[in-house]
Amino acid sequence: MTDLAQDLLSSFVIAEAGLNGSKNLGVVNMRKEALDRFETAGFPTTRDEEWKYTNLKPVLKHDYKIMLKSESAVSFGDIKQYLLSNLDTYKLVFINGKYSSWLSESTHQSYDICTFAAALNKYPDVIAKYLGKAAPAGETFVDLNTAFADDGAYIRVKANQTVDKPIEILYITTDENGTSFSQNRNLIIVEQNAEVQVLERHQNLGTAESFTNFVSEVFAAPDARLNYYKVQNDSDKASLVDNTHVNQETGSLVHVGTYSFGGKLVRNNLNFYSGGEHAESHMDGITIIGDGQTVDHHTLVDHQEPHCYSRELYKGIYLGNSHGVFNGKVLVRQKAQKTNAFQQNDNILLSDKAKVDTKPQLEIFADDVRCSHGCTVGQLDKNALFYLRSRGIPKFEAQGLMTYAFASDALEYIKIPQLQKRLNGVIAEKLGINLEFAL
Amino acid sequence: MSDEILDEITASEYKYGFTSDIESDKVPPGLNEDVIRLISSKKNEPEWMLEWRLDAFRTWSEMIEPDWPNVTYNKPNFQAISYYSAPKQTKTLDSLEEVDPELLKTFEKLGISIDEQKRLTGVAMDVVVDSVSVATSFKETLAEKGIIFCSMSEAIQEHPELVRKHLGTVVPKRDNFYAALNSAVFTDGSFCYIPKGVHCPMELSTYFRINEAGTGQFERTLLVADKGSYVSYLEGCTAPSRDENQLHAAVVELVAMEGAEIKYSTVQNWFPGDAEGKGGVFNFVTKRGICERNSKISWTQVETGSAVTWKYPSCILKGDNSVGEFYSVAVTNKFQQADTGTKMIHLGKNTKSTIISKGISAGKSHNSYRGLVRVGPRAENARNFSQCDSLLMGNQCGAHTFPYIEAQNPSAQIEHEATTSKIGEDQIFYCNQRGIGTEEAIALIVNGYCKEVLNQLPMEFAVEAQKLLEVSLEGSVG
């Protein structure tokens, strides 16, 4: 057992005493059971099939502080650049895992956009109904989060409501605690025929190493619509394990876009449970990373009911000595006849030292289905490059344009133009080109 | 020369045959160092071979049986197996009428000739003499070219320098659990050596190696193609073989030296278990080839038998410009399980690999494709194309795909695509409309679906393999 795992186990008693869920007996038991499971399992190693290509040892070796203090010295000016400018949004800002009311803009009017901590006390029946129902017990990082997470975003949109503006969730880490290990949790409930757009971002403002173990549970009731964008452009001191579990009911549509440009090690566990007929699941991702960075996308679409549709498109561009991992699993259960599942993972290695490991996986138990997946690793088309250069576009710029074209498919599904523009800017910066034309 | 060969053949028949006391040739069940010493001494092996086996055994003892494949079965009890028994005298039947009529029906569907049927069922026949002479003439032709093609035991005696040089170089003793077991206890197998620049004039097949009475439980094949040579090797048989050994753990090693080309075709149709899924053969095979500069290895397999199949014919593309190919059709029906695929390890520059895998699952079976394409950091301009398609028949079966792709070189081009579908109702309707029955229509569509792979089979096999597919899928359509 690693030192960090020991630290976590021993600090649970202190953490538990300070947890605001202590009044709620069900939650307390849930935390204890989750911790017991973590104690037995410990952190995964590369010997686990699901972690074969991603070694956590280098990021888990730091002496992380587990009980974090918030910091009041963060001003709006410090975080402004991480929010979408010129767009009115609801904002939920957390500093070192604690809710910062003076930086946030929450609401309880038509819909609940507030914190997980508040919901634990205020809505015990909702918590009892949903908490832990999407994220499966037995996954190490989920269990660990269940045991410790005391705050995060809580979004509940009641039936037939459309949230009037997007919701931005920002998790800030500062140097206040030194190397810090933070665990927060989102609970997003979209009721029948309701609609909402959510943006999420983790940012380390300091210079110390940070590790975030994050869980989001999403529940989409019949005909609900959710767009969930995850922008990952953190500093090279920050590591993140992001666990997102989406439960879908009949006719619901959920889109999760994961845009990874930064961070030292990012692992995304994205799981869809398609539990109602005609549910649609969309997953997009762009990864552009460089020296010393690892991004690992693990996705699962579990088709449990007939007539469902899933679409998955992940693009990866790897520079420097970066390492990309993709593991996409499509599971079609026996009952899920007439499933239409599509999965595509394309990768470009732009440097000699970059490497990519990809494993697109199909597990199919129903016969009347259409499932396909494709996966490529390749380079830019030399003829197209020559064409651009023959028209007077310098090589570097031509490469940038083509790389942008390669990746931009995965941006099409974004419904917020400001976000699309913002991401275009990040991609242009990463590739070192000018993309004014696209703006 | 021919006299020598004749002598050899007669002698070899004696070696395995009629006069030896069957009782004394059986080793009690169980596996320990003494058993291995006994096997080695019975086969009159040199000291180095015994050492090699013992080392493999010691390695094996420390290994644990892997459980990562996507199959479930009752693990064999390795102490309950008898690891050495001289080939048994099968009961000789007087005519085909005594043979199980079900078996004959299958033969007929496969289009196997009467003589061949007799040979397969152990019916006494005069044509044996002919068969020997045919084999002898083949042997003569091969000997003229300097090709060595014999059993492994013979090779250890006659060509120890070649065996010693290559054995275990492609599949090391400690490679995996079953390869280690095989290395310790293998009793026989085939050895083939093609000298420099020789184009082997015929398809080499175990069928013509008459001194092999029955393939052992732990078979070891070593095929060495020297510089610039070519060989096409056929293994197995389309005829259903009922084997009393439940566990089969074979090892096949191919060495393709500079500019050599090896084509290795397998048709496997072992007993898949009865309709309830009882019995059936466990087929856990390690097959691997190593390619030197400018060489090529091509694996073609048609897998229809065995209760549990677990094999990944692989290519290590070590030399520059080498080529690896893998064509596979795997059919599972009833309660069969197959976890099969390939590994293409690109190490040299400009290496190319192609993977075409067609899986068909019917009944309550599970069919998995598991493949690895690895491009090492020095494999400039490596190129891979993989396509794995699955066809599902019925809603009780499963089709799974586990492709692993690991790229460490920016100039690599890797493409992988996979689809899963069922036979279209409109396709069947079209055939029905034109007077083709549903079962026939399915056979037709399946054959079309597998065409890319069947085309790779040598002529003799291709026709039989097509029929084999039909027979294997019989009754799978409700």
Side-chain angles (χ1 to χ4, degrees):
Chain A
M1 184 152 276
T2 60
D3 294 347
L4 178 61
Q6 292 288 11
D7 281 358
L8 283 161
L9 290 173
S10 52
S11 47
F12 181 70
V13 186
I14 314 160
E16 199 195 5
L19 287 177
N20 38 20
S22 51
K23 287 181 225 155
N24 198 325
L25 198 66
V27 177
V28 174
N29 286 339
M30 201 173 160
R31 290 187 194 279
K32 281 189 179 144
E33 284 164 24
L35 190 82
D36 286 346
R37 282 192 301 270
F38 171 72
E39 187 172 4
T40 328
F43 284 113
T45 64
T46 47
R47 295 188 68 82
D48 292 287
E49 179 69 15
E50 296 301 318
W51 293 84
K52 185 174 155 109
Y53 296 118
T54 306
N55 188 3
L56 286 170
K57 256 193 195 157
V59 295
L60 290 178
K61 69 174 185 212
H62 300 289
D63 188 14
Y64 290 111
K65 196 161 176 207
I66 296 154
M67 308 303 297
L68 304 179
K69 284 192 298 249
S70 185
E71 187 175 343
S72 50
V74 179
S75 70
F76 186 70
D78 298 328
I79 63 161
K80 191 168 173 270
Q81 56 165 314
Y82 305 115
L83 296 166
L84 282 184
S85 51
N86 62 44
L87 184 68
D88 189 19
T89 55
Y90 293 107
K91 293 173 187 71
L92 294 170
V93 181
F94 298 83
I95 313 282
N96 296 332
K98 306 282 184 255
Y99 182 60
S100 160
S101 53
W102 68 95
L103 294 170
S104 303
E105 188 189 333
S106 62
T107 179
H108 281 291
Q109 280 184 340
S110 309
Y111 9 82
D112 293 315
I113 300 171
C114 61
T115 67
F116 181 62
L120 279 176
N121 291 320
K122 255 185 168 169
Y123 312 111
D125 48 329
V126 180
I127 295 293
K129 188 175 170 196
Y130 291 106
L131 187 66
K133 296 295 186 294
E139 270 189 32
T140 301
F141 282 99
V142 172
D143 282 339
L144 193 57
N145 184 287
T146 307
F148 284 91
D150 60 342
D151 213 345
Y154 172 80
I155 298 167
R156 184 178 174 211
V157 190
K158 299 217 176 80
N160 304 319
Q161 300 266 15
T162 297
V163 180
D164 56 347
K165 47 191 183 183
I167 302 165
E168 282 189 275
I169 310 170
L170 185 59
Y171 291 95
I172 296 287
T173 306
T174 66
D175 271 347
E176 176 76 16
N177 301 288
T179 54
S180 48
F181 189 98
S182 54
Q183 306 200 65
N184 288 83
R185 193 169 183 120
N186 283 351
L187 184 59
I188 301 173
I189 303 157
V190 192
E191 294 187 355
Q192 185 147 11
N193 199 30
E195 183 171 347
V196 62
Q197 307 207 49
V198 179
L199 263 99
E200 179 190 287
R201 191 164 180 161
H202 297 264
Q203 206 66 42
N204 182 352
L205 300 184
T207 50
E209 299 274 346
S210 69
F211 187 97
T212 306
N213 172 27
F214 191 76
V215 171
S216 296
E217 287 190 280
V218 177
F219 297 87
D223 302 319
R225 294 170 300 282
L226 167 72
N227 288 79
Y228 192 175
Y229 311 105
K230 290 169 180 279
V231 179
Q232 300 172 337
N233 195 6
D234 212 341
S235 82
D236 58 6
K237 296 282 178 209
S239 299
L240 168 70
V241 175
D242 182 51
N243 307 282
T244 306
H245 296 267
V246 183
N247 260 13
Q248 280 191 268
E249 290 181 52
T250 309
S252 60
L253 187 155
V254 177
H255 167 232
V256 177
T258 313
Y259 313 102
S260 314
F261 307 107
K264 184 180 187 181
L265 184 147
V266 177
R267 160 76 175 228
N268 291 299
N269 294 320
L270 175 57
N271 301 280
F272 278 83
Y273 308 96
S274 197
E277 290 192 19
H278 300 285
E280 269 191 49
S281 316
H282 296 264
M283 279 150 278
D284 286 322
I286 294 182
T287 307
I288 306 178
I289 49 172
D291 266 337
Q293 295 184 302
T294 300
V295 169
D296 179 349
H297 291 290
H298 259 64
T299 67
L300 164 73
V301 191
D302 182 349
H303 286 282
Q304 298 163 348
E305 293 291 327
H307 299 286
C308 288
Y309 173 71
S310 68
R311 182 190 64 89
E312 192 167 350
L313 180 63
Y314 276 83
K315 304 272 187 168
I317 296 159
Y318 304 97
L319 306 119
N321 64 3
S322 62
H323 179 200
V325 182
F326 175 81
N327 187 332
K329 184 164 162 184
V330 176
L331 175 63
V332 180
R333 296 188 190 256
Q334 202 185 321
K335 201 180 162 196
Q337 297 290 352
K338 308 273 180 198
T339 291
N340 186 354
F342 171 77
Q343 186 188 60
Q344 179 79 36
N345 172 239
D346 297 325
N347 301 288
I348 290 186
L349 297 177
L350 288 178
S351 123
D352 287 347
K353 293 196 187 90
K355 65 175 179 175
V356 59
D357 297 306
T358 157
K359 186 181 166 203
Q361 213 174 313
L362 294 176
E363 283 198 50
I364 293 162
F365 296 90
D367 65 333
D368 194 2
V369 297
R370 193 161 78 195
C371 295
S372 58
H373 69 189
C375 173
T376 61
V377 179
Q379 302 80 44
L380 300 174
D381 180 356
K382 287 192 182 71
N383 292 332
L385 204 59
F386 176 76
Y387 178 89
L388 289 175
R389 292 181 69 191
S390 71
R391 264 99 190 132
I393 298 169
K395 189 179 174 191
F396 183 71
E397 211 169 295
Q399 271 175 346
L401 287 175
M402 286 178 61
T403 317
Y404 172 77
F406 163 79
S408 60
D409 287 9
L411 293 175
E412 275 173 18
Y413 228 77
I414 298 175
K415 288 216 176 119
I416 307 171
Q418 286 87 345
L419 176 64
Q420 211 165 27
K421 193 171 161 182
R422 176 81 172 251
L423 290 176
N424 272 331
V426 178
I427 294 172
E429 187 199 314
K430 286 273 162 194
L431 299 174
I433 52 162
N434 182 358
L435 274 180
E436 281 306 317
F437 70 93
L439 307 178
Chain B
M1 187 70 184
S2 62
D3 281 352
E4 264 174 50
I5 291 162
L6 268 179
D7 283 347
E8 203 179 296
I9 288 159
T10 30
S12 62
E13 274 196 325
Y14 268 100
K15 193 161 73 184
Y16 290 111
F18 306 89
T19 54
S20 58
D21 183 356
I22 288 172
E23 286 306 308
S24 70
D25 262 9
K26 268 223 160 180
V27 170
L31 183 55
N32 51 47
E33 291 202 9
D34 291 341
V35 170
I36 290 166
R37 283 175 207 279
L38 193 62
I39 293 172
S40 193
S41 73
K42 286 227 183 250
K43 302 185 78 66
N44 199 16
E45 284 175 357
E47 184 70 22
W48 62 265
M49 197 61 231
L50 175 64
E51 284 304 319
W52 200 80
R53 285 176 183 272
L54 287 174
D55 186 39
F57 172 71
R58 281 166 204 144
T59 313
W60 177 78
S61 320
E62 287 162 18
M63 291 171 117
I64 42 166
E65 202 176 345
D67 54 8
W68 50 262
N70 193 20
V71 291
T72 45
Y73 57 93
N74 293 327
K75 292 193 170 163
N77 179 359
F78 296 101
Q79 296 303 334
I81 297 170
S82 171
Y83 288 87
Y84 182 82
S85 61
K88 269 174 231 64
Q89 263 327 136
T90 43
K91 203 179 90 192
T92 313
L93 305 172
D94 290 327
S95 76
L96 273 177
E97 272 149 35
E98 292 170 45
V99 177
D100 181 7
E102 275 296 307
L103 197 60
L104 289 181
K105 243 162 106 186
T106 318
F107 282 151
E108 207 168 300
K109 281 174 193 153
L110 289 171
I112 293 172
S113 72
I114 297 288
D115 287 349
E116 178 76 4
Q117 286 184 28
K118 284 184 178 169
R119 194 184 70 84
L120 289 165
T121 46
V123 172
M125 51 180 179
D126 324 326
V127 278
V128 163
V129 185
D130 282 350
S131 153
V132 168
S133 62
V134 168
T136 314
S137 68
F138 274 122
K139 280 230 157 188
E140 267 173 35
T141 328
L142 293 180
E144 259 170 43
K145 300 255 184 189
I147 295 169
I148 303 167
F149 184 41
C150 59
S151 74
M152 197 50 140
S153 342
E154 211 178 315
I156 292 170
Q157 307 294 338
E158 310 280 327
H159 310 283
E161 71 298 336
L162 280 174
V163 176
R164 207 173 171 177
K165 188 174 167 200
H166 296 288
L167 191 69
T169 53
V170 187
V171 180
K173 280 171 286 190
R174 50 185 66 239
D175 188 76
N176 67 60
F177 185 82
Y178 285 105
L181 178 64
N182 177 289
S183 304
V185 302
F186 75 86
T187 39
D188 217 331
S190 316
F191 174 79
C192 176
Y193 174 79
I194 317 289
K196 270 181 206 167
V198 170
H199 189 287
C200 184
M202 67 190 77
E203 316 269 352
L204 290 185
S205 157
T206 41
Y207 172 70
F208 292 116
R209 244 190 43 225
I210 51 129
N211 60 354
E212 192 187 44
T215 54
Q217 192 175 6
F218 300 98
E219 214 184 339
R220 184 108 195 172
T221 304
L222 175 60
L223 210 159
V224 182
D226 212 324
K227 286 178 186 169
S229 63
Y230 168 86
V231 61
S232 166
Y233 187 93
L234 271 64
E235 175 199 60
C237 175
T238 51
S241 33
R242 289 179 184 249
D243 197 303
E244 66 185 55
N245 296 319
Q246 213 194 5
L247 174 68
H248 280 252
V251 171
V252 176
E253 295 178 281
L254 308 186
V255 180
M257 295 190 197
E258 196 174 325
E261 183 176 344
I262 301 175
K263 189 173 163 69
Y264 195 101
S265 315
T266 312
V267 174
Q268 185 259 105
N269 191 16
W270 273 323
F271 183 49
D274 61 17
E276 272 82 50
K278 287 202 193 85
V281 169
F282 294 167
N283 188 20
F284 302 152
V285 189
T286 311
K287 291 183 167 184
R288 195 176 301 152
I290 191 156
C291 286
E292 300 287 347
R293 224 177 123 79
N294 298 333
S295 65
K296 175 176 171 180
I297 288 180
S298 172
W299 297 98
T300 309
Q301 59 171 25
V302 176
E303 299 274 328
T304 59
S306 297
V308 182
T309 304
W310 176 15
K311 78 181 223 190
Y312 314 96
S314 314
C315 296
I316 300 171
L317 304 171
K318 186 177 154 211
D320 294 351
N321 313 321
S322 56
V323 179
E325 286 175 356
F326 175 76
Y327 299 95
S328 162
V329 172
V331 183
T332 54
N333 200 350
K334 292 173 192 142
F335 284 87
Q336 282 175 274
Q337 303 175 67
D339 192 314
T340 181
T342 182
K343 290 182 193 173
M344 293 291 174
I345 318 281
H346 292 257
L347 300 175
K349 293 187 180 71
N350 304 320
T351 46
K352 272 187 203 161
S353 63
T354 309
I355 300 170
I356 309 281
S357 163
K358 305 276 182 181
I360 300 162
S361 347
K364 290 187 174 159
S365 67
H366 284 272
N367 202 333
S368 307
Y369 167 83
R370 188 187 299 275
L372 168 71
V373 176
R374 178 183 288 152
V375 176
R378 268 173 300 197
E380 295 291 328
N381 298 320
R383 183 84 177 85
N384 162 267
F385 174 77
S386 314
Q387 186 185 343
C388 28
D389 297 331
S390 312
L391 200 61
L392 289 157
M393 296 175 149
N395 51 16
Q396 304 276 309
C397 52
H400 316 287
T401 319
F402 306 89
Y404 292 72
I405 296 160
E406 303 176 8
Q408 292 188 35
N409 189 299
S411 61
Q413 270 196 54
I414 303 169
E415 287 171 74
H416 171 94
E417 57 182 45
T419 59
T420 302
S421 54
K422 69 169 203 166
I423 294 181
E425 276 157 29
D426 46 345
Q427 290 171 323
I428 294 176
F429 178 71
Y430 181 89
C431 292
N432 286 164
Q433 234 184 356
R434 275 138 186 92
I436 300 167
T438 306
E439 197 138 280
E440 266 177 89
I442 292 199
L444 196 71
I445 295 163
V446 167
N447 269 323
Y449 165 81
C450 300
K451 200 99 221 163
E452 269 174 285
V453 175
L454 297 179
N455 279 347
Q456 298 294 328
L457 283 174
M459 199 50 200
E460 298 91 312
F461 265 20
V463 182
E464 287 183 23
Q466 268 191 26
K467 289 188 179 143
L468 181 61
L469 286 181
E470 285 168 29
V471 175
S472 307
L473 289 169
E474 230 167 49
S476 63
V477 189

